[in-house]
Every structure is written in C-alpha cells, then in structure tokens.
C-alpha cells in the first residue's frame, strides 16, 4: 500500500475504496499564525470549498480550515448518488409547504444538479459519473405511491425522466427478487465523491482561496463587529464566516449542534462482479424505501458499493463488514460469500424534518448543513449560493433559510439516546 492508501481518517472508520483508487492525494498546509480575511470558512467539504472557490474567483479574500484532511468527512466518503429534488418526494413536500414552495425547491435542486455537472466539465474533473438511479419499494403496499410519483414528476414538476417500474422490471433491472416495484430516473446518476472533492479543493486553491488542512477550529465568537475563529496555531479574524461542518459540528457552535445530528452510516465495496452480470446490469444506483435506507450501486470497474445499517449509534462497530454482508445477502443471496475488499463509515448530518439547516447563528456567521443523506448536489450548490449571497448576486439561499427546522428534543444530554431509540424503532418497522 502507498502512504495515501494507508491513511486512516481520525474522524471516520475504515479506509474507503474511494481513497484506494485516487492515487496520491494532494496535501495542503496547516495554518501557521493568525490570519485576517473577508470571509472565514470552517469545514473543507463540498459546501465550504464551493463557497471558497466562488468567493475567491470574485476577488474576496477567503481563509478555509479543515480539521482533518480534505475528504476525511462525508464529502469524500459518501454513497455518491446525486438523486433528484430534495430528500422528500415533491408530493410529500407539497403536503407540508404547498405547491409553490415545493416546486421552487425542486427547481433549485435541478439547478444544483446542472451546476455540479457543469462544474466538473468546466474544470476537467473526472468524477466517474454513471447515469441512472432507481428508487425501489421493499413493501408491496407502496406500489400506488411509486406509480403516482412518476406521474406527478412529469405533470406537476416538468420532470419527464422518472418512469414507474412494475415488479418484473424492477427485479430484472436489479437482478434481485427482493423488491416489489420502483421508479427509474434517467435524469440523474452517481459519482466517485472523493474524485470530485479532490478536484474541488484544487480549483478553490487555484482561485486564490487560502485553504488549510489539519487545522481545527476550537472556538468561534463575534467581537466588535468581527468574527474570531480560534485554532491551536492562530486566530482568524474575518468580516463574516461560514460554518460548513455538517455531521462533524461537535461542540463548536451550539445552535447548529442542536439542529444537526450526526448518525453513522457504513459502506462496503465488493470485489468486481464479473461472475454476476445480472446484478444492476444497467449500472444504475439504487435507494430503497426503508426509513433506514439501503443504498447501493456499481462502480465503474464493476464492484458493488453497498451502504446502510440496521440501527444507528454514534459508535463504530468492531467489524463493519458483518453488517454490510448480511444486508447484501438479503438482496443478493448469490453474493453471500463475495469478498468485501473495503469497508468504511462516517457521519451524516440529519435534521428533524430531513431538510437542510441554513441559518445565521450569530451576527455575521451563517451555518449550513443537515443534508440528511441527500447532500452531493445540495451541498455543492449551497456553497455556491452562500457565495452569491455574500456577493449580492442571488437570494436563492433564502429558500432554505425559510424552512422550519426545529431543534432535536431533549438537549445535548438526551438527543443522542432519543435518536437511537427512534431510529431503532424505524429499523424494526421497516421489517414488517
């Protein structure tokens, strides 16, 4: 193994297949001394780096710090699925916030998808894009909802790329008899997330943003109209700041921490499925209807990348592969003994309503996170929208700011146990 392949993220377990396939990752310095800038950014994932790039290219002085290495958090370790729309189906959002706002959020997500594709093309980032996604039902009673979803997408949201699949087609396209029906979306796809993250960090640095790795923010405060961010090796003084830590917010900022909860999710990569051509023969990504979602896809070299877990805690299991293998075998019995070459995990930031948290948490300090497993497109675009807000070019970020995102109940001491109980209950309900 190279040094890069052996690197173990200090904040997330396991060495990912993504890390093992990108070669030597570029490194960036730790901060050394105090800095002054227009905008300070805490968090070097998609949100923070997109904000840094879009601000720096417009002449704004930016300092971005990342507590670990770029890619150690969710942006470099996630399932890679783009999806369509928001975390909820548009008709579900309609019931909560009305058609006008639901349609605006759907259109914003489509703009986010296009932005991501254009960004990768413009900056020559090969992110292993593969087309297609299927959402599939693990209960037969869900069939009417899936049928209506395809019709509503076309008729009410001007999105003609979703088509209903009956049981036979679903099982043929998956190569599994486990699911009852689904929808196939040909207007989206899936990517190698770490390749995107590496390209994004390069682009941000080349645009003039000062980017630092292995630099942890230990405190953030507002003093005399300036934002002060403390690190072990210096203080950053800025006119304004963006907190973009998502599920890794920790104790840095209490308002964000009370609204964005980290949960662990785990992914395994199998050996290439050369002997199993029937498994996802079309190369689409898949997400199922469980509350505790199972998500899986094929990589460009034919591996099954499978994510999910029966119940969530804040801890890491001793053996991630046993959880992953059991779930793979439920869907693909023939793969019961397939070699799992890599297994890894990380924290996903969720909110109570599974919608992004965007808020000014103190004067001059905006926090963005809580993408709830739907962040590949939205996090990149929210970073861009934050920059456009600072530059006075767009108010689209207000669509997210206006969402009602309540805090988790119980305060700091009780929210993790309550979340564990809730998610364990939903995991049990998914079985029946």
């Amino acid at each position: 193994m190279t040094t890069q392949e052996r690197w173990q993220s200090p904040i997330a377990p396991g060495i990912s297949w993504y890390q093992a396939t990108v070669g030597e990752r570029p490194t960036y310095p730790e901060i050394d001394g105090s800095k002054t800038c227009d905008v300070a950014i805490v968090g070097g994932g998609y949100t923070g780096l997109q904000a840094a790039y879009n601000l720096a290219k417009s002449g704004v002085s930016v300092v971005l710090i990342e507590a670990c290495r770029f890619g150690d958090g969710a942006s470099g370790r996630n399932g890679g699925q783009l999806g369509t729309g928001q975390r909820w189906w548009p008709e579900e959002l309609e019931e909560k916030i009305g058609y006008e706002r639901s349609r605006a959020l759907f259109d914003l997500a489509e703009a986010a998808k296009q932005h991501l594709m254009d960004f990768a093309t413009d900056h020559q980032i090969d992110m292993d894009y593969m087309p297609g996604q299927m959402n599939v039902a693990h209960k037969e009673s869900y069939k009417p909802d899936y049928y209506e979803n395809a019709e509503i997408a076309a008729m009410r949201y001007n999105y003609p790329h979703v088509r209903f699949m009956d049981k036979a087609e679903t099982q043929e396209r998956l190569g599994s008899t486990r699911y009852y029906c689904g929808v196939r979306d040909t207007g989206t796809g899936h990517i190698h997330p770490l390749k995107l993250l590496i390209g994004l960090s390069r682009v941000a640095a080349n645009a003039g943003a000062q980017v630092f790795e292995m630099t942890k923010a230990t405190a953030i405060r507002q003093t005399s109209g300036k934002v002060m961010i403390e690190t072990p090796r210096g203080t950053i003084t800025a006119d304004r700041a963006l907190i973009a830590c998502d599920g890794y917010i920790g104790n840095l900022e209490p308002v964000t921490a009370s609204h964005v909860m980290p949960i662990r999710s785990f992914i395994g990569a199998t050996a290439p499925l050369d002997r199993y051509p029937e498994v996802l023969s079309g190369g689409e990504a898949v997400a199922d209807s469980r509350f505790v979602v199972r998500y899986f896809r094929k990589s460009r070299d034919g591996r099954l990348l499978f994510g999910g877990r029966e119940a969530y805690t804040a801890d890491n299991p001793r053996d991630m592969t046993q959880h992953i293998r059991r779930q793979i075998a439920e869907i693909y019995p023939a793969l019961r003994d397939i070699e799992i070459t890599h297994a890894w995990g990380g924290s996903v930031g969720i909110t109570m309503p599974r919608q992004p948290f965007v808020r000014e948490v103190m004067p001059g300090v905006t926090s963005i996170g809580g993408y709830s497993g739907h962040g590949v497109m939205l996090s990149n675009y929210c970073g861009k929208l934050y920059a456009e807000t600072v530059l006075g070019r767009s108010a689209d970020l207000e669509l997210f700011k206006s969402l009602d995102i309540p805090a988790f109940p119980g305060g700091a001491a009780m929210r993790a146990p309550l979340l564990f109980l809730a998610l364990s209950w939903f995991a049990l309900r998914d079985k029946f």
Side-chain angles (χ1 to χ4, degrees):
M1 281 188 175
T2 67
T3 302
Q4 297 286 349
E5 289 173 329
R6 288 195 303 269
W7 169 258
Q8 175 60 66
S9 165
I11 58 172
I15 296 174
S16 73
W17 174 80
Y18 303 135
Q19 181 180 326
T21 54
V22 296
E24 290 290 324
R25 272 197 281 170
T27 59
Y28 297 86
E30 299 179 42
I31 205 166
D32 186 13
S34 296
K35 304 284 183 183
T36 300
C37 60
D38 297 325
V39 179
I41 299 174
V42 182
Y46 294 146
T47 303
L49 286 167
Q50 280 283 357
Y53 161 69
N54 282 280
L55 287 167
K57 75 174 185 177
S58 295
V60 176
S61 63
V62 179
V63 173
L64 179 148
I65 57 173
E66 163 59 41
C68 299
R69 291 188 64 188
F70 295 138
D72 278 2
S75 291
R77 300 170 71 86
N78 62 73
Q81 300 192 26
L82 302 189
T84 291
Q86 304 292 324
R87 177 63 173 77
W88 296 97
W89 280 355
E91 58 268 35
E92 295 173 313
L93 268 183
E94 248 186 79
E95 293 180 3
K96 299 174 182 296
I97 62 176
Y99 172 74
E100 184 176 341
R101 292 179 70 199
S102 175
R103 177 63 190 265
L105 285 166
F106 185 90
D107 291 345
L108 184 147
E110 279 300 286
K113 187 190 298 179
Q114 190 62 53
H115 164 259
L116 182 56
M117 300 302 293
D118 291 344
F119 180 84
T121 299
D122 292 345
H123 297 284
Q124 299 180 322
I125 300 171
D126 181 6
M127 55 184 183
D128 286 6
Y129 178 79
M130 295 176 65
Q133 180 173 344
M134 296 184 287
N135 291 289
V136 295
H138 77 293
K139 294 182 180 181
E140 194 167 15
S141 61
Y142 291 170
K143 181 177 178 179
D145 295 332
Y146 278 71
Y147 186 84
E148 289 178 5
N149 174 251
E151 287 194 332
I152 290 170
M155 301 298 294
R156 293 181 60 77
Y157 288 83
N158 194 31
Y159 189 79
H161 308 294
V162 175
R163 188 175 59 78
F164 176 75
M165 301 184 298
D166 63 15
K167 184 175 182 179
E169 182 180 357
T170 299
Q171 295 182 352
E172 180 180 359
R173 290 191 179 279
L174 264 65
S176 168
T177 60
R178 182 64 185 83
Y179 294 97
Y180 292 94
C181 67
V183 292
R184 180 170 178 249
D185 186 348
T186 58
T188 191
H190 49 106
I191 66 167
H192 188 305
L194 186 55
K195 287 186 176 181
L196 172 62
L197 192 282
I198 290 170
L200 176 53
S201 62
R202 168 181 55 81
V203 169
N206 288 345
Q210 299 180 67
V211 297
F212 299 97
E213 294 182 317
M214 307 303 293
T215 302
K216 183 179 178 63
T218 57
I220 183 168
R221 66 183 188 276
Q222 216 271 352
T223 304
S224 302
K226 296 287 185 178
V227 180
M228 315 290 288
I229 299 174
E230 302 289 343
T231 82
R233 300 182 65 182
T235 299
I236 305 168
T237 302
D239 295 329
R240 63 177 76 198
L242 169 64
I243 297 174
C245 302
D246 199 33
Y248 293 94
I249 184 63
N251 297 317
L252 177 64
E253 197 287 307
V255 177
T256 306
S258 68
H259 289 79
V260 178
M261 169 75 75
I263 60 174
R264 287 299 206 193
S265 191
F266 302 93
I267 304 176
T270 72
L273 303 182
D274 300 335
R275 294 169 46 212
Y276 305 96
E278 71 279 3
V279 174
L280 298 176
S281 58
E284 298 95 342
V286 183
D288 76 9
S289 57
R290 289 175 173 84
F291 186 88
V292 184
V293 178
R294 295 180 182 178
Y295 52 97
F296 47 100
R297 64 191 183 94
K298 263 187 177 176
S299 63
R300 186 178 282 180
D301 68 349
R303 299 170 187 269
L304 182 67
L305 307 183
F306 192 99
R309 192 177 172 201
E310 288 298 320
Y312 292 107
T313 69
D315 301 321
N316 303 320
R318 294 175 185 170
D319 180 8
M320 289 176 282
T321 62
Q322 65 176 331
H323 300 281
I324 296 164
R325 185 180 298 282
R326 183 175 64 248
Q327 293 176 66
I328 290 174
E330 287 181 19
I331 298 170
Y332 296 109
L335 302 183
R336 184 179 306 278
D337 298 319
I338 192 75
E339 179 187 4
I340 296 178
T341 61
H342 300 79
W344 66 98
S347 291
V348 178
I350 69 168
T351 64
M352 285 280 284
R354 298 297 183 96
Q355 294 170 303
F357 172 77
V358 180
R359 186 171 301 179
E360 188 172 27
V361 294
M362 64 179 73
V365 180
T366 299
S367 181
I368 305 178
Y371 300 107
S372 305
H374 201 70
V376 176
M377 294 186 317
L378 295 183
S379 60
N380 275 277
Y381 203 54
C382 279
K384 177 179 184 291
L385 292 181
Y386 171 79
E388 291 184 348
T389 299
V390 171
L391 296 166
R393 296 175 181 171
S394 171
D396 284 352
L397 196 62
E398 293 294 328
L399 283 169
F400 286 128
K401 284 185 178 180
S402 67
L403 294 172
D404 180 18
I405 310 295
F408 283 89
M414 289 301 297
R415 67 186 189 131
L418 287 173
L419 181 68
F420 170 73
L421 290 173
L423 290 175
S424 297
W425 159 250
F426 280 113
L428 181 64
R429 194 184 71 171
D430 282 339
K431 295 178 180 294
F432 300 100

